[in-house]
Amino acid sequence: CTVSRLELYASEAVPAPASLDADAVLLASPSGARSLLRGREPNATPPLVAIGPTTAAAIRELGHAPAAIAETPTLAGQVEALRAALKG
């Protein structure tokens, strides 16, 4: 029996944009939240929407508050959460 290691996925941080010119931002992973929000002042971002509770926890750990959290990580759940965030 031979076992081979295959690297099929790598999560790497990329530089976040200096400004966020958006009505809302949907964050789909804790690593994405960290990459985008690290070093940003709370309340200096558009409304933040989390794809689920784990991502919402990462947003909070960085000192920000999610405007909405998707009830399900489906496209429909994400759209509903974005709508909720935009309604305020």
Side-chain angles (χ1 to χ4, degrees):
C1 175
T2 302
V3 176
S4 299
R5 179 179 174 187
L6 299 175
E7 292 190 33
L8 301 173
Y9 177 81
S11 180
E12 297 178 28
V14 296
S19 65
L20 298 173
D21 184 24
D23 294 326
V25 176
L26 173 67
L27 293 162
S29 70
S31 61
R34 285 189 289 275
S35 179
L36 182 68
L37 299 175
R38 188 170 283 126
R40 290 189 193 271
E41 293 293 321
N43 303 319
T45 64
L48 303 171
V49 178
I51 194 170
T54 306
T55 302
I59 292 169
R60 288 186 196 101
E61 287 171 8
L62 292 159
H64 297 263
I69 303 167
E71 289 185 25
T72 62
T74 63
L75 179 58
Q78 294 171 50
V79 169
E80 280 304 310
L82 282 166
R83 284 186 181 148
L86 293 172
K87 287 180 184 177

